[in-house]
Amino acid sequence: MKFSNSFFSSVTFRRSMRLFGTLVIAVMLVAFSASSLPAQEKDAEPEEISDPLESFNRAMFDFNLFLDDAIGKPLAEAYRNVLPEPARDSIRNFIRNLNSPVILANDLLQGEGERANDTLARFLVNSTLGVGGLFDVAFDMGYSYHSEDFGQTIAVHGVKEGPYLVLPILGPSSLRGATGKAVDTFLNPLTYIAAANDADIWLYGMRGTDAVDYRSRNIESLDQLKRDSLDFYSLIRSIYDQHRRNEILNGKTEK
């Protein structure tokens, strides 16, 4: 793909500055959140996730549930009904492969040399033998997939999670997690490739497809959780908290 001169245009510059502004604000918020914690809280993990914005979060949660019932779940069901499982697996493999540079960057920022090696090996093998990432050949060679993001990276380096947040459409997160999403945008080469070639729609399409694919793989489990829970909001908050802790620890037991 050839880079057009629009990469140096004022339009691209404005896009980059807007992204940079979002990044700066997010990092400042996380830094403030971490520095404002009492000393005893900095030395120990909180027993449960902090949710001072619960009223707002519950409203966002209900809004997201409405969107999911109206759009998300029907799309996921249609996606699963139209595409056979091998095709869906190839789509997921392709998107994971495109996200490899972000995972690799965060592996390195965390000082995880072995995991960085696995990520690089997966990218090289799947991009070639795996036909551009459509097939996960690297898994059969012993290189298992793992995910990393900048929220996990700053957690490893001691930044506290901050308050729990439910983001519109994006769902459960935290102040630290939202910051990570912003920074990962800058770590992703696709951000600049899309901006340089006026192909933002393809980037959004990839993210939307990833979301639909993920939703399609959790239709029954989410339905079951919703049926069985007395407070679905609290249950999802707890699941998010446990899942993020497990990701940050790379599956190791917390000391």
Side-chain angles (χ1 to χ4, degrees):
M1 181 180 294
K2 295 182 179 180
F3 288 88
S4 67
N5 290 332
S6 62
F7 182 81
F8 301 101
S9 68
S10 59
V11 173
T12 302
F13 179 76
R14 287 196 298 271
R15 288 173 179 166
S16 299
M17 289 307 296
R18 284 198 297 270
L19 287 172
F20 182 73
T22 302
L23 169 64
V24 170
I25 292 172
V27 170
M28 288 176 64
L29 287 172
V30 168
F32 174 78
S33 174
S35 64
S36 63
L37 287 170
Q40 64 270 23
E41 292 185 3
K42 290 186 179 183
D43 295 330
E45 285 289 334
E47 293 184 357
E48 60 182 35
I49 192 167
S50 172
D51 192 5
L53 304 174
E54 184 171 349
S55 296
F56 168 81
N57 286 334
R58 284 186 178 273
M60 281 295 100
F61 184 77
D62 291 339
F63 173 72
N64 287 342
L65 282 182
F66 170 78
L67 288 182
D68 183 63
D69 289 338
I71 302 173
K73 184 179 178 181
L75 271 178
E77 291 174 333
Y79 173 83
R80 193 165 68 176
N81 291 333
V82 170
L83 294 177
E85 185 174 358
R88 299 197 305 272
D89 287 344
S90 287
I91 290 173
R92 181 177 63 175
N93 292 337
F94 179 74
I95 293 173
R96 281 180 171 180
N97 198 56
L98 289 177
N99 286 331
S100 294
V102 176
I103 298 173
L104 177 60
N106 283 294
D107 283 333
L108 294 172
L109 288 171
Q110 293 176 34
E112 294 282 356
E114 185 175 343
R115 286 165 71 87
N117 177 72
D118 287 351
T119 300
L120 181 58
R122 283 182 55 82
F123 180 70
L124 295 176
V125 170
N126 287 341
S127 296
T128 52
L129 300 180
V131 193
L134 291 175
F135 303 99
D136 193 356
V137 180
F139 179 81
D140 298 326
M141 298 173 64
Y143 298 106
S144 299
Y145 171 80
H146 68 270
S147 178
E148 294 288 350
D149 57 63
F150 194 74
Q152 294 168 244
T153 296
I154 56 179
V156 168
H157 291 293
V159 175
K160 296 299 180 181
E161 186 170 34
Y164 178 68
L165 292 173
V166 179
L167 303 175
I169 301 176
L170 298 178
S173 187
S174 65
L175 189 57
R176 184 178 64 197
T179 300
K181 291 180 187 296
V183 176
D184 283 336
T185 300
F186 283 91
L187 295 177
N188 193 346
L190 292 177
T191 299
Y192 307 102
I193 294 174
N197 294 275
D198 294 322
D200 290 337
I201 187 65
W202 297 105
L203 188 59
Y204 298 142
M206 185 190 78
R207 291 170 179 167
T209 301
D210 188 32
V212 171
D213 179 80
Y214 180 82
R215 183 66 178 90
S216 74
R217 297 173 187 272
N218 295 277
I219 293 174
E220 289 78 17
S221 58
L222 282 176
D223 285 348
Q224 184 70 37
L225 289 173
K226 189 183 294 187
R227 283 194 302 267
D228 295 345
S229 64
L230 296 176
D231 184 352
F232 192 39
Y233 169 83
S234 295
L235 178 61
I236 294 298
R237 181 181 60 192
S238 177
I239 291 174
Y240 166 81
D241 184 38
Q242 294 174 40
H243 177 67
R244 286 300 285 175
R245 288 173 186 264
N246 183 67
E247 286 186 324
I248 292 165
L249 294 169
N250 294 334
K252 300 175 184 176
T253 302
E254 188 172 9
K255 295 181 180 180

